[in-house]
Amino acid sequence: MSRTALDTPAPAVNPAAGRPASPLGVGLCLLSAVAFGLAALFGKQCFAAGFSVSSMLAGRFGIAALVFWLIVAIRRPALPGPRLLLSCLALGGLGYAVQAACYFAALTRINASLVGQILYVYPALVVVLGLALRRESASRRKFAALGCSITGLALLLGYAGSNGPMAPAGVVLAFCSALTYALYITAANGLPEDFDVYLLSALVCSSAAVSVAAFGLSTGSLQLPTHPSGWLWLAPMALVSSVISIGCFLAGLRLVGASTAAILSCLEPVVTAGSAIMVFGDRFNAGQVVGAAIVLAAVVLLRPAAVARDDRISPGWSARSS
């Protein structure tokens, strides 16, 4: 890959449109969902040790950036041109940083399982954006899986109120996290297909670290932990819920497309809720269990063998970038 090949972003070729979903891509997206799902657990433990949201995120993205840059130094991919470089920095500094800040700020106001559940309105937003931009093809199975995820999440949210009152600010922050994540995924899916995933991750994490650190400095909200355990929890936050999750998701996104990646990632709130129940004692009633099972049904619908047999709803849809 030459440097000039990245000067002008090329249309993203979507492997999910009209082709069988890649088993590797599905597996990477599911692994990413598990790693992301554990972020709430690690984040809550960081906050309990004295980290503020901005300081925890600056440390998380800073450590992850160092790891990704080490991988880049070994792989030595071609560097992007100025236009693509700015796009990647914006993805991290404006997109991913804002999404993460909203998500973890919500964690300080409402319980982890509820935050994870609210976040997952984003697959519906990703599908709508993908179809509107004509980057995704419509299919019966994809919409069936999307319907399962929406129905399951509706049940999860509907029964969440029976466990006690919800702080409105926390709910709003969680929804803002979902919206910014949908925009982030859609933008990332429009990057050139041959752009090195690890270089992209390094740029995204670097700009996100600078963004949250600058915000923390300007608002005086940077706060280091008062207990040494905070640093021990920051390590898995950076390595598991950043390096593994981001790298696997971006790699899987290239192989299955934005809509399929988003729906497969619905495993994340199930992992978040499960870890919150085991560690923090969050309650999960029968209605929420049913909702979680329906969310998992979306993953089953998108298994590679099933997607390979899928039929298009309309031949008028084409997978092209706008």
Side-chain angles (χ1 to χ4, degrees), residues 215-232:
F215 175 81
L217 287 172
S218 64
T219 58
S221 59
L222 287 179
Q223 180 180 322
L224 296 179
T226 55
H227 194 278
S229 64
W231 299 106
L232 296 178

Side-chain angles (χ1 to χ4, degrees), residues 180-224:
T180 52
Y181 199 33
L183 292 170
Y184 166 81
I185 290 172
T186 302
N189 195 47
L191 295 174
E193 188 181 12
D194 58 353
F195 190 13
D196 186 77
V197 169
Y198 298 101
L199 177 56
L200 172 59
S201 300
L203 291 169
V204 166
C205 287
S206 297
S207 57
V210 171
S211 179
V212 294
F215 175 81
L217 287 172
S218 64
T219 58
S221 59
L222 287 179
Q223 180 180 322
L224 296 179

